[in-house]
Amino acid sequence: MVHRIDIRTLGEDPAAHSVQQQIAEFLPNLGEVTTSRIFLIDTDANPDQLRQIADELLADPVVETAELVTGAPAASGGANGSRIEIHLKPGVMDPVATSTEMAIRDMGLGVREIRTGRSFVLNAKVSPDQLKTIAGRVLSNGVIESVHLSAFIPKTFERGHEQPLKLRNVPLIKLNDAELQKLSREGHLFLSLAEMKAVQKYFQDQSREPTDIELETIAQTWSEHCVHKTLKSRVDVVDETGQTVRTYKNLIKETIFDSTMTLMAKDTSNFCLSVFKDNAGVIAFDETDAVCFKVETHNHPSAIEPYGGASTGAGGCIRDVLGTGLAAKPVANTDVFCVAYPEKATLPKGVIHPKRVLQQVVAGVRDYGNRMGIPTINGAVYFDDRYLGNPLVFCGCVGLIPRDKISKAARPGDAIVVMGGRTGRDGIHGATFSSAELTDTHADEFSHAVQIGNAITQKKMADVILQARDRGLFSGVTDCGAGGLSSAVGEMGEKLGAEVHLDRVPLKYDGLKYDEIWISEAQERMVLSVPQEHVNDLLQLSQGEDVEATVIGTFGTPDRQLILNYRGTKVGQISMHFMHDGIPMPTRRAVVPTRTTGLRPVPSTSHGPEARGTGQRLLLFLAHPNIASKHWIIRQYDHEVQGGSVIKPLIGPRQVGPSDASVFRPKLNSQKAVVVACGFAPSIEDPYEMALASIDEAVRNAVCTGGDPDRMAILDNFCWPSVDDEITMGTLVRACEACRDGALAYGIPFISGKDSLHNQFTNQETKEVLRIPRTLLISAIGVIDDARKCISMDFKQRGSRVAWVRAKDPRDLASLIKLHRTVAASIAGGHVLAAHDVSDGGALVAAAEMAIASGVGLIVNNDLADSANAWDEQPGQYLLELADWNHAAELQAQLGSAADVIEFGLTQHLQKLTLTTASTRVTDVSIDELTKAWRGTLDW
């Protein structure tokens, strides 16, 4: 029997207050809101035992009250109130329910299943249509949740039922081209016609039709998400007249990869230890350990279910680090979000409001990192209405790994072990879905691709894997992410073959078909290659930590075959050679656009009244969403856990200033540190300039805290609209070329990357296509020998002179890297008290941020502040508070013609930003005014 227990907060209810504020934005005067947490428990427990569960486990007696609900809940709103209840749909991962179920069993009580929900009672009579609007816009996501307008107490739970084995063959070998294309789209394979014809020929040569699981396996393996076939393709580059100007046999290999190989060949220190061949790039840290870094995107899932999409993006990136080499310990997380402006009023069909998207993706990353005990140390948010239908969610993770654990390889005869969470229908077709363009039907068509994570399960699994690593219990490990077991086992067994028994895979519930088990991307799972002599030890270790681990097969088969069995029946057999080498790589044509002359434009100030005077304009810029403080996000993240944080996301005496980068010590017995920074400039239209500006910003940010460009590496994350258009493909080529040129000029290697293409949204009814701006995120990681020499961006004292150091030619890469190395040397030499990157809004905005962070005022020459250069966002600019102004002349001498060192201002005792001429005080803006403008826009 299903029993219901409601837990309600006594007194102040922050969740209710937040909901009330959000509803008031479009339906004011609805009155007070009351919230409750709902637990639906299928158990034979008696009333006394249920009361014990409610009082001892579910409710905090100090701030909460528990009610055993048999009819209408006590907090029902009465005749003049309205109720909305939100419950997860059957089969959706519910971590709270899982934890509660375990806790009840630990109490010695029996329980079959638990499901959770939330109730919201409005102190006003609201029509059903309005309640559904509130639920859809503020409270729920129809992809994973159901809405009820009265108390929901089911008599029984819906459950899956085991299905009889029915081997399904797919008619393929006789299909014509149109039928192949139809099968590809309707079967969610998302393969091109050339790829479908290659698959057709493979099975024609075998004189048989494929099984469904074989087609699914090939589709996962050949998806853009997994194989990056666009960036690896042959590209004929033509100019706007149609003349071929160059050809790449493999675009990424001959640009980004080639630059790294060139730099590694010249590096005698072996700084790069593993690049572009594992789940994350690895660089040297000290004599015994290395650090690895990976940044992923989870865009399409986050567009459909922002919380789950972002949380599993974070979880997947953490697993990438766990699956690097023989497992790295996750030590830091990063994130970047790109969404439409939050005040957007009208939305296309199938689009979630951007404010809700941002709130939910923040919550997803927050919950995953905080619950796993990994600090989220660095990130950014960028607003542009072109992200409305297709928001971007970047998640990154840094790991620490012993240098003797970097290499791995499955061995013939090793057991295939799946460890961690159980397999469900969540995530099916996630890899192929992520390789397609979004439309207004995807929320319905691909609801099964949504995944909900469980960070506690992953934390326990990570602990087991790290213990097993140190005991030498496995020879290989990888994340079971995109493509599920299909891609994980397929990648690990590429050189050996593998035989898998799908009926041995632990399931969340009955009812999954064999192909669903194979391709599900259900979260918190890793696949390990375990020598037979270590299998029992590994299983015992896992059992002792309450982590499920199961042997599902063996690596190594004759002729490198992938053999799939289910209940004693062979359901699939494919050549590993065909899976990994049989994809027909396309030849693409790319039209290279004429280079524009403009660098990053000044941000739009349309979000406020017209500015009058420099001071008013400064306040407007500080309030712009792309410049304004992101403290409401940062404060939700734990950036102190693990105890290694040195330079934190918010710094200064008042802990409100925006740090350029973050620095942390992954080993607490050492002063060696890691700096992590990012840069991106999607507002620059020219793709070559955009990519170079992104690299430069990431490097500048790292340098500002004490990073050394000569001990630094970078990662690329390309997010592009559809490259089926030749001009758009040309912009991708130019960005890749810029990455190559920037890396070679700066001497900073790329060590990892990821691409996400087809980021656009099509309204099927209006045929309107909303394309994202071309977006390249550059993430920088560097090693700092002594964390005690790091600095932050807040002014340190009164009476200091502030230098504005700016490149004379921001397109001269040799000058830019000379500038960065010179500034880094000045910081290392103790000549700089505070340093801040000049980017969004220009030098005056940067100065205001330094004042906000420190509470120390600044006097600036009005002619300088009022010039166009003060708002210039060109690459290669710093503001430096110097310990001794005499060092400015040394700086200029070292920089020569590369950059100008300009006296920008003087820190003062007044808490103001003061603009003066030689004889007149023109404008005063108090630090309180600056802070209010900067912190007020996104203070949610």
Side-chain angles (χ1 to χ4, degrees):
M1 180 178 178
V2 177
H3 302 270
R4 171 167 162 158
I5 299 175
D6 282 13
I7 308 297
R8 188 160 51 90
T9 301
L10 298 171
E12 184 69 23
D13 185 347
H17 181 66
S18 174
V19 167
Q20 193 170 338
Q21 283 186 317
Q22 293 177 65
I23 295 173
E25 291 179 4
F26 60 97
L27 288 176
N29 305 318
L30 280 183
E32 209 172 300
V33 175
T34 304
T35 70
S36 298
R37 293 181 292 126
I38 301 169
F39 293 84
L40 300 173
I41 306 174
D42 187 357
T43 178
D44 294 327
N46 61 42
D48 290 340
Q49 291 171 327
L50 289 170
R51 175 53 63 183
Q52 180 188 3
I53 292 170
D55 293 343
E56 296 183 11
L57 177 63
L58 302 180
D60 182 334
V62 177
V63 296
E64 293 178 321
T65 182
E67 177 190 3
L68 274 61
V69 179
T70 55
S76 62
N80 295 320
S82 304
R83 167 175 290 269
I84 302 173
E85 290 195 1
I86 311 298
H87 292 264
L88 290 171
K89 291 181 177 179
V92 174
M93 168 64 75
D94 189 344
V96 174
T98 302
S99 299
T100 304
E101 190 175 321
M102 292 174 59
I104 291 175
R105 290 200 174 103
D106 289 343
M107 295 171 70
L109 301 175
V111 60
R112 284 180 289 274
E113 186 178 354
I114 296 178
R115 298 183 186 177
T116 66
R118 298 163 291 145
S119 74
F120 303 87
V121 175
L122 284 61
N123 189 23
K125 199 65 180 174
V126 181
S127 71
D129 287 344
Q130 285 183 316
L131 290 175
K132 290 175 183 177
T133 298
I134 293 169
R137 183 161 174 177
V138 176
L139 304 178
S140 71
N141 184 339
V143 174
I144 62 167
E145 294 169 319
S146 57
V147 176
H148 303 264
L149 303 185
S150 60
F152 177 63
I153 312 178
K155 293 183 179 180
T156 59
F157 288 145
E158 299 175 28
R159 289 188 173 87
H161 300 283
E162 191 170 307
Q163 299 186 23
L165 172 60
K166 184 179 180 181
L167 183 60
R168 296 176 297 279
N169 291 94
V170 180
L172 174 80
I173 61 177
K174 295 182 179 180
L175 298 184
N176 61 34
D177 288 358
E179 291 167 334
L180 286 172
Q181 290 176 305
K182 181 180 180 182
L183 173 62
S184 177
R185 179 58 183 86
E186 293 183 356
H188 297 162
L189 305 176
F190 293 110
L191 296 177
S192 68
L193 177 59
E195 291 161 351
M196 289 297 291
K197 289 174 78 69
V199 175
Q200 185 182 53
K201 184 177 186 308
Y202 175 79
F203 287 102
Q204 285 173 341
D205 290 345
Q206 295 192 24
S207 301
R208 68 178 181 90
E209 298 285 12
T211 63
D212 50 0
I213 198 170
E214 290 171 334
L215 273 185
E216 294 281 12
T217 301
I218 295 168
Q220 305 298 318
T221 307
W222 290 7
S223 68
E224 185 75 67
H225 185 87
C226 291
V227 80
H228 314 294
K229 53 198 174 189
T230 296
L231 282 172
K232 291 180 180 178
S233 65
R234 175 189 172 97
V235 181
D236 293 330
V237 184
V238 304
D239 61 21
E240 290 171 317
T241 68
Q243 183 71 33
T244 300
V245 291
R246 55 192 171 276
T247 295
Y248 293 103
K249 294 179 181 178
N250 182 317
L251 174 60
I252 195 167
K253 184 177 180 180
E254 295 175 46
T255 54
I256 296 174
F257 290 8
D258 182 68
S259 67
T260 295
M261 295 303 107
T262 300
L263 293 173
M264 287 178 65
K266 298 177 181 178
D267 180 22
T268 58
S269 66
N270 293 321
F271 181 62
C272 294
L273 300 178
S274 176
V275 298
F276 297 116
K277 62 181 181 182
D278 206 338
N279 291 335
V282 186
I283 59 173
F285 179 67
D286 59 20
E287 293 182 357
T288 59
D289 290 295
V291 287
C292 60
F293 194 15
K294 180 61 176 287
V295 179
E296 286 268 13
T297 56
H298 232 220
N299 305 334
H300 289 186
S302 299
I304 288 181
E305 208 302 283
Y307 180 88
S311 67
T312 53
C317 214
I318 294 167
R319 290 196 306 277
D320 276 328
V321 163
L322 275 171
T324 297
L326 290 173
K329 176 188 176 184
V331 291
N333 287 342
T334 69
D335 61 25
V336 173
F337 307 127
C338 299
V339 297
Y341 283 103
E343 68 271 24
K344 194 73 178 175
T346 58
L347 302 174
K349 176 188 173 184
V351 169
I352 299 173
H353 195 279
K355 183 173 181 179
R356 178 169 174 80
V357 168
L358 185 56
Q359 289 172 327
Q360 290 297 301
V361 296
V362 167
V365 171
R366 173 200 68 204
D367 287 353
Y368 218 99
N370 290 0
R371 289 169 183 171
M372 281 200 70
I374 303 171
T376 301
I377 59 165
N378 191 70
V381 177
Y382 185 80
F383 295 96
D384 188 309
D385 281 342
R386 289 173 290 177
Y387 295 116
L388 179 64
N390 201 131
L392 304 184
V393 173
F394 302 88
C395 298
C397 187
V398 180
L400 182 71
I401 185 170
R403 292 178 71 149
D404 62 356
K405 304 292 185 185
I406 294 172
S407 298
K408 65 181 177 187
R411 302 168 186 170
D414 281 359
I416 302 172
V417 176
V418 61
M419 179 184 290
R422 291 191 160 208
T423 299
R425 279 202 174 88
D426 42 324
I428 290 176
H429 290 135
T432 53
F433 155 64
S434 294
S435 305
E437 172 188 339
L438 284 174
T439 71
D440 55 13
T441 66
H442 272 54
D444 297 323
E445 188 177 0
F446 289 97
S447 61
H448 55 267
V450 171
Q451 308 152 57
I452 305 297
N454 187 344
I456 302 304
T457 296
Q458 183 148 304
K459 169 61 176 168
K460 294 192 298 182
M461 178 183 67
D463 291 344
V464 169
I465 287 175
L466 292 173
Q467 290 180 65
R469 176 200 71 184
D470 294 340
R471 290 171 55 179
L473 297 184
F474 56 88
S475 60
V477 61
T478 196
D479 166 33
C480 190
L485 291 168
S486 170
S487 60
V489 175
E491 289 170 11
M492 292 181 74
E494 177 183 354
K495 305 299 182 185
L496 302 173
E499 183 164 9
V500 179
H501 299 273
L502 294 170
D503 48 301
R504 299 178 187 174
V505 177
L507 304 181
K508 293 177 182 177
Y509 37 78
D510 292 334
L512 269 71
K513 300 188 288 290
Y514 56 82
D515 58 325
E516 293 175 326
I517 296 170
W518 181 235
I519 66 171
S520 166
E521 297 178 14
Q523 295 292 293
E524 289 81 45
R525 300 177 303 159
M526 303 286 286
V527 173
L528 297 90
S529 174
V530 183
Q532 294 294 340
E533 64 268 24
H534 296 320
V535 169
N536 287 337
D537 289 341
L538 179 68
L539 297 183
Q540 287 177 10
L541 173 62
S542 299
Q543 185 178 18
E545 297 285 355
D546 193 29
V547 173
E548 197 159 22
T550 307
V551 176
I552 64 169
T554 308
F555 284 113
T557 62
D559 301 323
R560 290 172 56 203
Q561 296 289 304
L562 173 66
I563 301 172
L564 305 175
N565 304 295
Y566 185 72
R567 298 183 191 167
T569 299
K570 184 191 293 184
V571 294
Q573 180 170 340
I574 313 174
S575 160
M576 285 288 194
H577 173 74
F578 177 70
M579 278 176 58
H580 294 282
D581 301 314
I583 181 172
M585 296 304 290
T587 296
R588 291 185 172 272
R589 190 170 184 268
V591 177
V592 174
T594 302
R595 287 183 65 180
T596 60
T597 56
L599 291 170
R600 187 187 312 188
V602 169
S604 164
T605 55
S606 61
H607 295 266
E610 184 179 349
R612 295 181 180 178
T614 303
Q616 189 65 33
R617 189 181 188 194
L618 175 59
L619 293 174
L620 270 180
F621 270 53
L622 288 170
H624 189 278
N626 284 333
I627 296 174
S629 172
K630 311 305 186 294
H631 63 280
W632 74 272
I633 298 176
I634 297 168
R635 294 294 187 203
Q636 296 181 58
Y637 298 152
D638 188 340
H639 45 267
E640 303 280 1
V641 66
Q642 297 191 22
S645 299
V646 178
I647 303 293
K648 301 160 191 179
L650 294 174
I651 44 83
R654 303 191 294 177
Q655 297 288 287
V656 297
S659 183
D660 294 278
S662 289
V663 179
F664 66 98
R665 293 185 299 132
K667 299 170 71 171
L668 299 185
N669 60 354
S670 169
Q671 290 298 331
K672 258 190 177 304
V674 173
V675 59
V676 174
C678 65
F680 67 126
S683 60
I684 298 179
E685 286 298 317
D686 186 292
Y688 190 87
E689 301 294 352
M690 180 272 288
L692 290 179
S694 301
I695 294 172
D696 197 75
E697 183 177 27
V699 173
R700 285 198 316 273
N701 281 331
V703 166
C704 281
T705 57
D708 179 358
D710 293 327
R711 298 283 290 167
M712 201 175 292
I714 50 181
L715 285 69
D716 63 85
N717 281 92
F718 291 89
C719 285
W720 239 246
S722 174
V723 291
D724 293 339
D725 174 79
E726 293 178 348
I727 294 177
T728 307
M729 185 66 200
T731 64
L732 183 62
V733 169
R734 290 298 289 151
C736 289
E737 292 172 340
C739 287
R740 174 199 60 204
D741 296 347
L744 290 173
Y746 286 12
I748 299 177
F750 283 93
I751 59 170
S752 181
K754 192 74 173 178
D755 62 275
S756 173
L757 309 179
H758 306 293
N759 285 284
Q760 58 192 48
F761 177 89
T762 299
N763 187 317
Q764 299 285 60
E765 294 179 354
T766 65
K767 304 304 178 185
E768 180 186 5
V769 180
L770 189 61
R771 296 174 176 85
I772 69 162
R774 298 179 293 270
T775 306
L776 171 62
L777 171 66
I778 298 293
S779 303
I781 184 169
V783 177
I784 296 174
D785 288 332
D786 190 344
R788 292 167 294 190
K789 294 184 178 180
C790 292
I791 63 172
S792 55
M793 53 74 72
D794 51 305
F795 292 135
K796 299 303 185 298
Q797 61 187 27
R798 298 162 185 161
S800 297
R801 296 196 182 193
V802 177
W804 182 12
V805 185
R806 64 194 309 263
K808 288 186 176 180
D809 182 357
R811 293 191 177 191
D812 185 338
L813 300 182
S815 293
L816 287 175
I817 189 56
K818 183 176 182 180
L819 167 61
H820 302 324
R821 287 186 175 129
T822 302
V823 171
S826 292
I827 292 172
H831 300 293
V832 180
L833 299 177
H836 195 22
D837 157 50
V838 176
S839 55
D840 295 327
L844 201 59
V845 167
E849 290 173 341
M850 295 174 84
I852 290 168
S854 60
V856 175
L858 184 71
I859 300 171
V860 181
N861 181 286
N862 185 69
D863 292 338
L864 191 63
D866 201 33
S867 69
N869 286 343
W871 311 99
D872 185 1
E873 299 179 349
Q874 71 176 34
Q877 297 188 78
Y878 296 90
L879 286 185
L880 307 178
E881 180 189 9
L882 299 181
D884 183 345
W885 183 248
N886 291 328
H887 183 64
E890 297 176 27
L891 263 178
Q892 187 64 77
Q894 292 165 8
L895 288 167
S897 61
D900 292 318
V901 180
I902 304 164
E903 184 175 359
F904 186 79
L906 177 71
T907 58
Q908 63 169 332
H909 69 285
L910 296 176
Q911 293 188 337
K912 296 180 179 180
L913 186 66
T914 303
L915 307 182
T916 70
T917 64
S919 59
T920 307
R921 183 185 298 254
V922 177
T923 303
D924 273 329
V925 185
S926 72
I927 292 178
D928 283 346
E929 289 179 273
L930 297 173
T931 304
K932 183 178 179 181
W934 185 64
R935 288 172 60 89
T937 302
L938 301 175
D939 191 11
W940 296 348

